[in-house]
Amino acid sequence: MKIGFISLGCPKNQLDTEVMLHELASAGYEITPDETEAEIVVINTCGFIESAKKEAIDNILDVAWLKKHNGLKGIVVTGCLAERYREEIFKEMPEVDALLGVGSIHHIVDAVQSIEKRKSKKAPKYASFEDKNTVKLGGERILTTPEYYAYLKIAEGCDNRCAYCAIPSIRGKFRSRPMEDLIAEAKELDALGVKELCVVAQDITRYGEDLYGEYRLHELLHRITEETQIPWIRLLYCYPDKVTDELIAEIRDNPRILKYIDLPLQHISDPVLRRMNRHGDSKMIRDLIAKLRREIKDLTLRTTFIVGFPGETEEDFEELCRFVEQTRFEHLGVFPYSAEEGTPAADMPDQIDEQLKQDRADIVMKMQMQINAEQNEKKIGSVIRVLVEDFDAVSEAHFGRSAADAPEIDGKVYFKCERRVAPGSMIDVKVRDVVDYDLYGRGILPRE
């Protein structure tokens, strides 16, 4: 039987998809990338904010059309949307045949088999919602990323309890994976030829606190570089209040840890940070950024902000704009606040008009576009190292990413070369031009 997969949302969700793919393939099922060929489709959903929920529902309805018109036998819905709306999905979308919560991904074979065995539409549908706080983390997986990079999820869940965020109720409490398991997985990825390892979790800086009584991200990173040959290690989702001196030193002194930190700040105004229930204040954030810039040469900082949070005044927003202008982040994303049911922020007074939220987001992004343009202009004439991703036959140019660009979210480097260069190769590129967020240049081939 052929199984199709649709994986939505963040890289952490993508890793769950990879585990489910492995379990189905090991059980003898054939995986197809084409949903129109599949007999059963698994949709691994995101349900973090309203736009993600809409995307998930749209995908379920699209696949439901295949079930009605193309002979599809069944639909399995997994992930955050399934966890969050377990009571509603069967009622509102009767085309769905099985539901798996985030703690039940290891039951994917059972879910598929239940659809195969179901004799009539009136027969009970399969649903499994195991305790997400006790499920075994990790597992063998089939990579869905290109062979030259992969994600390593070092923990699950979150204890930060930000007022706007539903993740703790969906994904459960923070649980680190044992270090030895992570080292073994990193070695397997190294053996597969992975050149870039992206370390992810809801909060990677908290790693080890629950297992070892202290933050041990720096130790984990050191061991990965000692016990593998993976040349690039990238850090995603470092919370500012848990960035230790030991972690800063490891990033600074370890040449294989990329000088790239994803530091989600969400705001800079103290009144907004307090209402958000963020840990730390404006001074702590400013002091940390100054320290990171001082300690780590050529650091790339990525952050995200939420605008239009309940009670955000014009003064709060203006302070955020000044901060963006002064700090000049290399990468920045802005989200209009999304009121999520079940979160404290959804019931706060002084909710802000949707259009005003969007206007504020647009203002910050226009500022950031100008900052990025100015930063990229300074790179013209420089030589940067690029991890090659592919060749574009239309423009007859290769493209890839520098150490300053994370997969899927940051810019690209396009370059011409005297001969074709294989994906996964690393090459120096001399930058000659800039277009929007992307760089253009000429590849420098090593002498034979």
Side-chain angles (χ1 to χ4, degrees):
M1 175 171 280
K2 292 184 177 181
I3 310 295
F5 255 86
I6 298 173
S7 188
L8 306 173
C10 66
K12 299 177 288 294
N13 221 36
Q14 185 176 351
L15 284 158
D16 290 345
T17 292
E18 293 177 348
V19 171
M20 289 189 282
L21 283 169
H22 181 272
E23 296 203 356
L24 286 167
S26 298
Y29 291 98
E30 180 182 349
I31 308 299
T32 175
D34 185 352
E35 296 96 50
T36 64
E37 292 183 353
E39 295 165 86
I40 293 175
V41 171
V42 181
I43 308 171
N44 192 14
T45 62
C46 177
F48 178 44
I49 58 176
E50 192 62 35
S51 59
K53 288 186 282 187
K54 183 179 184 305
E55 181 186 25
I57 291 168
D58 287 347
N59 272 273
I60 294 170
L61 295 177
D62 287 345
V63 175
W65 186 93
L66 292 177
K67 189 176 181 184
K68 183 176 182 181
H69 299 281
N70 205 52
L72 186 74
K73 292 181 179 177
I75 301 172
V76 182
V77 175
T78 69
C80 294
L81 193 80
E83 181 73 32
R84 194 172 184 187
Y85 298 103
R86 59 179 74 176
E87 303 298 331
E88 292 88 347
I89 290 177
F90 279 150
K91 293 177 184 177
E92 300 296 328
M93 288 177 280
E95 300 89 349
V96 174
D97 300 283
L99 286 175
L100 294 180
V102 298
S104 296
I105 64 170
H106 295 290
H107 291 281
I108 185 62
V109 173
D110 294 336
V112 168
Q113 289 178 345
S114 75
I115 296 173
E116 291 181 282
K117 296 174 183 176
R118 198 160 175 243
K119 300 299 183 184
S120 73
K121 292 182 179 180
K122 294 183 179 180
K125 296 182 178 182
Y126 185 90
S128 176
F129 294 93
E130 290 198 0
D131 184 353
K132 50 186 170 284
N133 293 313
T134 59
V135 66
K136 181 182 182 298
L137 302 180
E140 292 187 74
R141 53 195 175 107
I142 294 175
L143 295 185
T144 57
T145 52
E147 61 184 15
Y148 48 83
Y149 82 87
Y151 294 100
L152 180 69
K153 182 159 64 172
I154 65 173
E156 183 59 273
C158 187
D159 290 342
N160 289 320
R161 300 284 172 183
C162 300
Y164 51 82
C165 184
I167 290 297
S169 63
I170 298 171
R171 288 278 176 180
K173 65 183 181 181
F174 182 86
R175 292 102 68 207
S176 301
R177 291 178 59 192
M179 192 174 299
E180 296 305 324
D181 289 359
L182 294 170
I183 298 301
E185 186 169 336
K187 287 181 176 179
E188 291 173 1
L189 294 170
D190 186 22
L192 291 173
V194 166
K195 301 291 180 60
E196 178 181 5
L197 188 66
C198 298
V199 177
V200 297
Q202 297 297 337
D203 176 2
I204 67 171
T205 34
R206 195 171 197 140
Y207 175 76
E209 182 188 39
D210 54 322
L211 289 182
Y212 311 114
E214 59 184 357
Y215 302 146
R216 286 202 182 177
L217 178 59
H218 64 284
E219 181 183 340
L220 173 64
L221 296 174
H222 191 78
R223 285 197 57 191
I224 288 174
T225 54
E226 275 192 330
E227 299 188 39
T228 75
Q229 299 298 315
I230 300 173
W232 281 8
I233 313 294
R234 189 180 299 277
L235 309 184
L236 300 176
Y237 322 123
C238 299
Y239 274 60
D241 59 301
K242 304 179 191 72
V243 177
T244 63
D245 289 344
E246 293 87 352
L247 178 58
I248 293 173
E250 187 65 33
I251 298 169
R252 179 193 65 210
D253 299 336
N254 190 328
R256 286 163 54 203
I257 306 296
L258 298 181
K259 312 316 175 202
Y260 177 108
I261 301 176
D262 188 320
L263 195 73
L265 299 177
Q266 311 308 359
H267 218 281
I268 195 61
S269 164
D270 280 332
V272 178
L273 289 170
R274 284 193 293 271
R275 286 196 298 276
M276 286 181 167
N277 197 34
R278 296 288 290 178
H279 302 172
D281 57 13
S282 175
K283 183 179 185 305
M284 183 275 289
I285 291 170
R286 295 174 191 271
D287 288 349
L288 173 63
I289 290 173
K291 185 174 186 176
L292 291 170
R293 296 274 197 214
R294 184 174 63 249
E295 292 284 334
I296 304 171
K297 184 181 178 183
D298 297 326
L299 176 66
T300 295
L301 274 180
R302 159 170 278 283
T303 196
T304 51
F305 291 116
I306 296 172
V307 293
F309 191 77
E312 182 190 56
T313 64
E314 283 296 331
E315 290 76 18
D316 295 326
F317 178 67
E318 288 170 5
E319 182 180 356
L320 176 62
C321 290
R322 288 194 299 272
F323 178 64
V324 169
E325 181 62 38
Q326 293 163 359
T327 309
R328 302 182 72 78
F329 293 95
E330 284 74 18
H331 300 296
L332 185 151
V334 183
F335 298 92
Y337 166 70
S338 174
E340 294 303 309
E341 61 221 91
T343 63
D347 297 323
M348 287 181 178
D350 302 318
Q351 299 284 329
I352 291 176
D353 176 75
E354 292 296 328
Q355 187 59 54
L356 180 56
K357 288 190 283 190
Q358 188 60 57
D359 290 345
R360 289 179 175 177
D362 292 342
I363 289 169
V364 177
M365 283 312 301
K366 285 179 182 177
M367 292 175 59
Q368 183 62 27
M369 284 182 69
Q370 182 61 34
I371 291 168
N372 279 131
E374 293 168 3
Q375 290 173 332
N376 281 340
E377 285 289 335
K378 293 178 181 178
K379 296 177 182 178
I380 293 177
S382 65
V383 175
I384 57 177
R385 194 72 167 161
V386 171
L387 175 60
V388 180
E389 294 187 302
D390 212 337
F391 180 82
D392 178 25
V394 176
S395 62
E396 295 186 336
H398 295 81
F399 61 89
R401 291 178 292 103
S402 73
D405 300 298
E408 305 297 332
I409 53 176
D410 296 328
K412 301 281 189 185
V413 181
Y414 292 85
F415 63 94
K416 302 277 188 175
C417 207
E418 293 175 7
R419 58 176 171 80
R420 293 286 287 270
V421 185
S425 302
M426 288 189 167
I427 187 172
D428 289 333
V429 173
K430 186 167 185 178
V431 180
R432 294 182 172 179
D433 198 5
V434 174
V435 178
D436 296 328
Y437 294 104
D438 300 323
L439 305 177
Y440 290 76
R442 185 78 184 176
I444 303 172
L445 293 172
R447 293 182 178 179
E448 296 287 338

